[in-house]
């Protein structure tokens, strides 16, 4: 069995559990591939427990039976980027805060191998957004959201928005989010957007601090193509794709649509979306 591990370097609260887990992987002959950042961190903290690590790589170019993301939702998004489009099942281990994308807590690591081998995890193929436009210095795919926003210290932007070639409106706001159902519980939710079940074939278009009360979040089908042309008084605006951002010239037009690939997210079979919402949002 081969497991690939990506993780945050802020794991002080669960180092004992991680050390126990890594020793278990070594004892059971599991081959481990790690990202360099977490490898250097863990080698400093627990060098004797790293015997199972066979390869350290900046890009996950090899296959794996399972990819572990150890951290929070931000770490999970970076794990997706590390996998770089390969159809590898990713399981999130929550050592962060909310952790909507994580399937288990760090305290469940000692039983992870048995649970995985017994088929206690369900694969969900989550949709991605694809961005088309100017050359970007990073991948064009987003699991959570694509955002256009004013640059630092700039005034609001005007985002002329089109859906399937038809003019929707001109958003006057601090920014505009296009989110997947997975991303509906992230940035889009913080600006008042709806929560959407992960298997819903839809996207959310949500303005950030709109300068008109009539500008409300909108749900469109995921077969739609959303085009955005950004104007404003400043010279530039910021485009973010799952947290990776670039400054672009005003007047630039981008399009956002459903990507031809998906991300395989694992969840525990006993924990459906309703239970996750109840737990993470503190509903009764």
């Amino acid at each position: 069995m081969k497991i690939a591990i990506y993780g945050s370097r802020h794991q002080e609260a669960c180092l004992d559990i991680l050390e126990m887990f890594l020793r278990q992987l070594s004892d059971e002959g599991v081959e481990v591939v790690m990202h360099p950042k977490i490898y250097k961190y863990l080698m400093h903290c627990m060098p004797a427990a790293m015997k199972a690590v066979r390869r350290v790589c900046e890009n996950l170019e090899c296959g794996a039976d399972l990819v572990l993301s150890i951290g929070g939702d931000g770490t999970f998004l970076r794990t997706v980027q590390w996998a770089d489009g390969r159809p590898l099942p990713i399981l999130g281990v929550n050592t962060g805060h909310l952790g909507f994308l994580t399937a288990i807590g760090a305290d469940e690591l000692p039983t992870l191998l048995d649970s995985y081998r017994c088929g206690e995890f369900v694969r969900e193929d989550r949709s991605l957004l694809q961005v088309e436009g100017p050359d970007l210095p990073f991948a064009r795919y987003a699991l959570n959201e694509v955002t256009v926003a004013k640059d630092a210290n700039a005034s609001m932007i005007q985002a002329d928005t089109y859906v399937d070639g038809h003019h929707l409106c001109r958003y006057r706001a601090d920014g505009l989010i296009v989110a997947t159902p997975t991303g509906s519980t992230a940035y889009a939710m913080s600006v008042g957007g709806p929560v959407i079940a992960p298997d819903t074939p839809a996207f959310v278009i949500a303005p950030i601090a709109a300068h008109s009360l009539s500008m409300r979040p909108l749900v469109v089908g995921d077969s739609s193509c959303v085009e955005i042309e950004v104007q404003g008084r400043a010279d530039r605006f910021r485009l973010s794709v799952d947290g990776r951002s670039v400054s672009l010239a005003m007047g630039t037009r981008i399009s956002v649509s459903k990507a031809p690939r998906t991300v395989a997210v694992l969840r525990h079979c006993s924990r459906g979306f309703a239970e996750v919402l109840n737990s993470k949002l503190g509903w009764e």
Side-chain angles (χ1 to χ4, degrees):
M1 183 179 185
K2 181 186 290 186
I3 293 179
I5 299 178
Y6 186 101
S8 164
R9 290 170 290 177
H10 304 285
Q11 306 292 351
E12 291 79 7
C14 58
L15 284 177
D16 290 345
I17 293 176
L18 284 174
E19 183 171 5
M20 185 188 309
F21 178 62
L22 289 169
R23 289 183 182 276
Q24 179 188 9
L25 296 182
S26 179
D27 292 343
E28 298 198 23
V30 175
E31 181 181 348
V32 176
V33 179
M34 272 192 184
H35 188 273
K37 289 184 179 180
I38 190 171
Y39 176 77
K40 292 176 183 177
Y41 171 73
L42 294 179
M43 273 296 291
H44 174 75
C45 298
M46 55 187 75
M50 302 293 281
K51 295 179 180 178
V53 180
R54 297 289 183 268
R55 187 175 178 185
V56 179
C57 55
E58 191 75 38
N59 298 301
L60 187 55
E61 299 173 350
C62 58
D65 300 293
L66 176 65
V67 181
L68 292 185
S69 174
I70 302 176
D73 285 345
T75 302
F76 195 98
L77 295 178
R78 290 189 290 274
T79 306
V80 171
Q81 296 158 18
W82 186 46
D84 194 26
R86 293 169 182 82
L88 306 175
I90 304 175
L91 188 147
V93 181
N94 189 21
T95 62
H97 298 291
L98 277 178
F100 274 101
L101 291 169
T102 54
I104 63 172
D107 60 325
E108 297 174 84
L109 276 174
T111 59
L112 171 60
L113 288 181
D114 288 341
S115 298
Y116 181 76
R117 289 164 177 161
C118 291
E120 294 181 11
F121 292 96
V122 177
R123 171 179 172 144
E124 294 181 343
D125 290 319
R126 302 287 185 95
S127 60
L128 291 169
L129 294 170
Q130 177 175 279
V131 185
E132 297 293 340
D135 292 335
L136 301 181
F138 41 72
R140 297 172 177 267
Y141 299 101
L143 176 61
N144 267 2
E145 73 270 315
V146 174
T147 304
V148 296
K150 65 177 186 178
D151 221 337
N153 302 318
S155 57
M156 70 175 184
I157 61 170
Q158 299 179 36
D160 280 306
T161 304
Y162 302 79
V163 177
D164 294 329
H166 299 284
H167 185 254
L168 174 65
C169 66
R170 172 175 290 177
Y171 289 99
R172 293 179 174 87
D174 286 353
L176 186 67
I177 301 167
V178 182
T180 65
T182 299
S184 71
T185 53
Y187 197 0
M189 183 173 68
S190 74
V191 299
V195 174
I196 299 179
D199 58 351
T200 305
F203 296 144
V204 177
I205 304 174
I208 304 167
H211 286 236
S212 170
L213 290 176
S214 66
M215 294 294 185
R216 312 306 302 166
L218 174 68
V219 178
V220 298
D222 68 1
S223 62
S224 301
C225 176
V226 179
E227 295 177 280
I228 305 168
E229 183 174 318
V230 183
Q231 302 287 350
R233 295 178 182 175
D235 295 329
R236 306 187 72 80
F237 71 96
R238 187 151 296 275
L239 169 69
S240 296
V241 181
D242 270 357
R244 299 156 295 174
S245 66
V246 63
S247 179
L248 298 176
M250 285 295 182
T252 300
R253 189 181 183 114
I254 65 166
S255 66
V256 182
S257 58
K258 184 177 180 179
R261 62 173 69 169
T262 58
V263 171
V265 177
L266 295 185
R267 67 168 177 85
H268 199 278
C269 60
S270 67
R271 301 165 194 166
F273 185 60
E275 182 177 348
V276 171
L277 289 179
N278 184 285
S279 171
K280 302 298 183 181
L281 298 180
W283 292 352
E284 296 182 358

